[in-house]
């Protein structure tokens, strides 16, 4: 049977959703591993990563069941949700690739302000730095007092913000590139779902509703 046929579309959609399931399980596993080994202590960060993993896992399960049973309703909701996720992820990925240093500083400062003190001190200890950026309106002095990094004893600490920004451009390019790659796999999933949903099952009753 040609690749545009019913069986090929079904197998391609099932394979794509198996990949999404593996990625979802990987996200959940990495979050649990990070929490278990004390790499990340913030429950908000852990909860966010696990929530993304569970959401992706559920979407993949819906798509997989819909593809296996050629279920019209499940395939419809699957392609609508996946298209919404594509639009959001595509926008975020493009923003990551287009972000300049000034915007990176603003974003980093906002994110730092939302972190718990325990998460801040963990980052300072691991990166061996103190505070974020010594700018107007920041809590740099307070962060400096609470800093547990080893470099504080020798008064040779760098600002964590400077260390992060040195790698931020490269990290954002990687993040944006990976996000764009997965966003195009999502639009591929939408196209496959639409195509497969409108195809006729050769084993079904020819007079059945498509």
């Amino acid at each position: 049977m040609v690749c545009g046929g019913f069986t090929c579309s079904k197998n391609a959609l099932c394979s794509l959703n198996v990949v999404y399931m593996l990625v979802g399980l990987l996200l959940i596993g990495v979050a649990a591993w990070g929490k278990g080994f004390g790499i990340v202590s913030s429950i908000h960060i852990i909860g966010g990563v696990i929530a993304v993993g569970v959401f992706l896992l559920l979407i993949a399960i819906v798509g997989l069941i819909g593809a296996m049973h050629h279920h019209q309703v499940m395939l419809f909701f699957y392609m609508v949700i996946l298209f919404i996720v594509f639009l959001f992820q595509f926008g975020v990925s493009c923003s990551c690739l287009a972000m300049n240093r000034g915007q990176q500083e603003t974003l980093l400062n906002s994110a730092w302000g939302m972190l718990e003190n325990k998460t801040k001190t963990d980052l300072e200890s691991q990166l061996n730095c103190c505070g974020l950026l010594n700018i107007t309106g920041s809590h740099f002095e307070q962060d400096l007092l609470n800093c547990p990094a080893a470099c504080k004893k020798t008064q040779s600490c760098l600002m964590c913000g400077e260390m992060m920004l040195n790698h931020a451009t490269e990290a954002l390019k990687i993040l944006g590139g990976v996000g764009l790659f997965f966003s195009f796999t999502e639009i591929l999933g939408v196209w496959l779902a639409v195509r497969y949903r409108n195809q006729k099952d050769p084993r079904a009753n020819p007079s059945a509703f498509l």
Side-chain angles (χ1 to χ4, degrees):
M1 181 172 289
V2 295
C3 194
F6 180 87
T7 303
C8 184
S9 298
K10 177 180 178 179
N11 292 339
L13 196 56
C14 287
S15 300
L16 188 63
N17 282 290
V18 168
V19 172
Y20 286 156
M21 288 179 69
L22 293 175
V23 173
L25 290 171
L26 180 65
L27 286 173
I28 296 170
V30 167
W33 175 77
K35 180 64 176 176
F37 282 84
I39 297 175
V40 182
S41 61
S42 173
I43 193 66
H44 300 296
I45 296 174
I46 296 295
V49 175
I50 290 177
V52 171
V54 170
F55 177 75
L56 187 58
L57 190 61
L58 291 175
I59 293 298
I61 290 172
V62 170
L64 188 61
I65 295 173
M68 291 177 65
H69 298 284
H70 201 226
H71 196 287
Q72 297 291 310
V73 176
M74 294 185 78
L75 286 172
F76 173 77
F77 282 108
Y78 168 77
M79 64 188 190
V80 169
I81 294 172
L82 202 61
F83 184 70
I84 293 171
V85 172
F86 160 75
L87 292 177
F88 176 77
Q89 188 170 326
F90 183 79
V92 171
S93 300
C94 290
S95 298
C96 288
L97 292 172
M99 194 174 292
N100 58 38
R101 187 177 177 87
Q103 292 169 329
Q104 291 172 21
E105 290 182 5
T106 302
L107 180 63
L108 194 59
N109 194 46
S110 300
W112 184 266
M114 293 186 289
L115 293 178
E116 299 171 353
N117 289 331
K118 182 68 169 64
T119 307
K120 291 180 182 179
T121 54
D122 285 349
L123 283 171
E124 289 171 335
S125 297
Q126 290 172 17
L127 296 176
N128 198 26
C129 59
C130 285
L132 184 67
L133 295 168
N134 190 7
I135 57 177
T136 305
S138 68
H139 301 284
F140 181 77
E141 296 296 332
Q142 185 64 37
D143 290 337
L144 198 60
L145 289 174
N146 298 330
C147 181
C151 64
K152 192 175 179 183
K153 298 176 182 178
T154 59
Q155 300 294 320
S156 59
C157 287
L158 296 173
M159 291 183 291
C160 295
E162 288 295 331
M163 295 181 67
M164 292 176 186
L165 286 170
N166 287 337
H167 303 284
T169 302
E170 182 180 356
L172 285 170
K173 285 181 179 178
I174 294 172
L175 184 62
V178 171
L180 276 179
F181 171 77
F182 273 102
S183 67
F184 285 117
T185 67
E186 287 159 5
I187 203 66
L188 174 63
V190 172
W191 177 77
L192 281 172
V194 172
R195 182 184 180 85
Y196 176 63
R197 188 170 179 266
N198 292 323
Q199 284 178 327
K200 192 173 185 178
D201 188 347
R203 296 169 300 179
N205 183 357
S207 62
F209 173 74
L210 292 178

